[in-house]
Amino acid sequence: MDYIRITSIEDPLFKKMHNLMQEVFPPEEVLEFELWEEPLKDPDIRVFVAVNEDEVVGATEYRYYVDWNIAMTDFTIIGQDGRGIGPFLANHRLKDLKQLANENGKELYGMFAEIYNPNVVDHSSTLKVKSMDPLVRREVLSHLGYQQLDFNYVHPSWKNDGEAVSGLDLGFMPFNEDSTEVEANLVVNFLTTYYAVLSNKPQEWLTMIEVLKGRGTIKLLPL
């Protein structure tokens, strides 16, 4: 398999990736084709696909924040079970992120990820790929080293309609295995930057941010 970056909706591989997303996720979870144009041009957003014999069999999107030396995994999808696509994407993503940190004279501090709570969200009836089930994905992320940040998490809807989205936890994977907590101001800075593009923030999210501003650290809990 090849690990190839996509930076334009004109790239033929992007159409294949978008088709794969529609096969893996329910329609309401897939951003419309044309709406990808601007995000793909953003140099800080890294979208890569796993390509096998000219077919896109997986994809991942992530970001690296130089100022805080942390990353965010937006999504990882695979098109077929049992082909090693998930490990391929995770290993290449980590290699790329470590290289980005190294170019800034640093060692990567850790990675954030929004992680579905399978007790709240159940996509199993609509999934065509079993490995994409929220319960399986949560366990895989736990094996990778992600832990749950100890607070009730909501995020603004990407529809920018002012609605709060629940059913997820905010996870963090520290690269210092002895870490048991994360500074609250790092979490606040990350979330306010990550969601700066959305102008219509729900009150639940604003309240969550204010509560976090009053905390010194946030515990890391098992997923």
Side-chain angles (χ1 to χ4, degrees), residues 76-91:
T76 302
I77 60 173
I78 67 171
Q80 297 175 17
D81 294 317
R83 295 185 59 186
I85 300 167
F88 174 85
L89 290 169
N91 290 336

Side-chain angles (χ1 to χ4, degrees), residues 132-150:
M132 297 303 295
D133 183 286
L135 182 62
V136 177
R137 293 166 68 189
R138 191 178 181 96
E139 187 62 24
V140 169
L141 290 168
S142 178
H143 276 68
L144 287 176
Y146 279 94
Q147 299 176 66
Q148 178 183 337
L149 287 159
D150 187 20

Side-chain angles (χ1 to χ4, degrees), residues 63-168:
R63 313 169 194 219
Y64 174 65
Y65 296 85
V66 177
D67 291 346
W68 308 311
N69 189 33
I70 55 97
M72 167 66 173
T73 300
D74 292 332
F75 68 77
T76 302
I77 60 173
I78 67 171
Q80 297 175 17
D81 294 317
R83 295 185 59 186
I85 300 167
F88 174 85
L89 290 169
N91 290 336
H92 279 75
R93 177 179 62 215
L94 183 57
K95 182 179 179 180
D96 183 44
L97 285 168
K98 285 186 174 181
Q99 177 61 32
L100 290 172
N102 182 259
E103 290 172 358
N104 287 280
K106 302 175 181 178
E107 292 187 11
L108 189 62
Y109 178 67
M111 298 175 67
F112 286 101
E114 291 175 331
I115 303 171
Y116 282 118
N117 184 336
N119 296 318
V120 179
V121 178
D122 182 8
H123 290 160
S124 57
S125 62
T126 61
L127 290 170
K128 297 180 181 179
V129 181
K130 292 182 180 180
S131 299
M132 297 303 295
D133 183 286
L135 182 62
V136 177
R137 293 166 68 189
R138 191 178 181 96
E139 187 62 24
V140 169
L141 290 168
S142 178
H143 276 68
L144 287 176
Y146 279 94
Q147 299 176 66
Q148 178 183 337
L149 287 159
D150 187 20
F151 68 97
N152 293 322
Y153 181 66
V154 297
H155 75 74
S157 167
W158 284 103
K159 294 180 181 179
N160 202 26
D161 55 8
E163 294 296 319
V165 178
S166 59
L168 299 99

Side-chain angles (χ1 to χ4, degrees), residues 182-223:
V182 175
E183 291 185 1
N185 66 341
L186 175 63
V187 178
V188 169
N189 288 336
F190 162 69
L191 288 175
T192 52
T193 299
Y194 188 70
Y195 284 106
V197 67
L198 299 177
S199 58
N200 197 6
K201 306 289 197 312
Q203 185 57 50
E204 296 94 325
W205 186 85
L206 295 172
T207 299
M208 179 190 75
I209 293 296
E210 288 305 311
V211 170
L212 292 178
K213 286 180 179 179
R215 295 176 62 174
T217 59
I218 302 172
K219 290 183 180 179
L220 289 168
L221 304 175
L223 282 177

Side-chain angles (χ1 to χ4, degrees), residues 2-7 11 13 47-51 60 88 92:
D2 296 312
Y3 191 67
I4 301 174
R5 187 176 185 184
I6 294 178
T7 58
D11 187 330
L13 290 176
V47 178
F48 283 82
V49 290
V51 180
T60 183
F88 174 85
H92 279 75

